[in-house]
Amino acid sequence: LDLSDNRITFLWPTMFSNLRNLVHLDLSGAGAEAFPFDAGLFSSLTKLQYLSLAGLLFLFEDFSTFFTLPPGLFANLTSLRVLDMTGFNSLPFQDVGFQGNEFSTLTSLEHLILDQVTTASMAALDASLFQNLTSLKYLNMSSWSTFIPIEVPQTLFSPLVSLQEITLISQSNMQLPSNAFSGLS
């Protein structure tokens, strides 16, 4: 299902509930502005293998509180192989960044694209951010726009035992420890 580059202003919590066999969902550039994501939006998409949220802004479901990602948004996406969050923009939000549990259920994930992330006050990445991503082969964290340096924990990449390629181009504010890649082979 390709809904990219549409002027969608709202995604109903049950919008995808009947699409249990869906394997490809592209919402890249779908919203004209930020719109709410209910935590259960993708809950019935257990066979989904590709999801693009590139260029979207995220709101909490009550419209009043900006947030980075609704807790549990990816909880049932256990078959997901590719997640594209290019252009993830957390500038207008209570800038808590990635908390570490957003990707924990994505155990089949092979490609994670976090290119061109924009954040105002996230000072560190959570050490458990990639904890269960043992199938991940490709990680792109290039061109992050940050206003303060982001500290990278020395164990951040160590769970990525299947990693074949990592891209960290144009990361002037990302502080990598000298042993950041010591757990990788």
Side-chain angles (χ1 to χ4, degrees):
L1 178 59
D2 189 343
L3 296 173
S4 62
D5 298 319
N6 283 293
R7 308 272 288 153
I8 297 171
T9 57
F10 192 83
L11 292 175
W12 296 100
T14 58
M15 187 172 194
F16 305 117
S17 62
N18 292 330
L19 302 176
R20 299 189 190 289
N21 292 317
L22 190 68
V23 294
H24 184 102
L25 179 58
D26 189 344
L27 293 170
S28 61
E33 297 178 12
F35 50 86
F37 274 67
D38 182 83
L41 181 65
F42 305 129
S43 63
S44 64
L45 304 180
T46 58
K47 295 182 181 179
L48 195 67
Q49 294 181 19
Y50 176 91
L51 176 60
S52 178
L53 302 175
L56 297 184
L57 296 174
F58 297 87
L59 276 172
F60 218 33
E61 63 264 15
D62 66 1
F63 288 97
S64 64
T65 308
F66 284 103
F67 204 84
T68 54
L69 292 174
L73 182 65
F74 303 132
N76 293 340
L77 302 182
T78 55
S79 298
L80 197 66
R81 302 239 185 273
V82 178
L83 176 58
D84 184 352
M85 294 182 65
T86 298
F88 178 74
N89 185 342
S90 64
L91 274 179
F93 310 132
Q94 297 172 0
D95 201 354
V96 294
F98 296 108
Q99 293 298 291
N101 59 357
E102 287 92 345
F103 308 125
S104 63
T105 60
L106 303 179
T107 55
S108 297
L109 196 65
E110 295 178 355
H111 288 77
L112 178 57
I113 305 162
L114 299 171
D115 188 26
Q116 301 172 16
V117 169
T118 302
T119 182
S121 62
M122 181 173 50
L125 293 172
D126 190 293
S128 65
L129 183 62
F130 304 133
Q131 186 172 10
N132 295 332
L133 302 184
T134 56
S135 297
L136 196 70
K137 295 177 182 176
Y138 174 81
L139 175 62
N140 184 340
M141 294 176 65
S142 293
S143 304
W144 282 32
S145 296
T146 62
F147 294 100
I148 60 173
I150 296 178
E151 182 181 327
V152 175
Q154 67 182 25
T155 58
L156 180 68
F157 302 114
S158 58
L160 306 178
V161 296
S162 299
L163 196 65
Q164 296 174 359
E165 183 178 339
I166 184 169
T167 306
L168 298 169
I169 298 170
S170 298
Q171 292 297 7
S172 58
N173 274 343
M174 191 172 282
Q175 299 176 342
L176 290 171
S178 61
N179 58 350
F181 308 111
S182 63
L184 303 177
S185 56

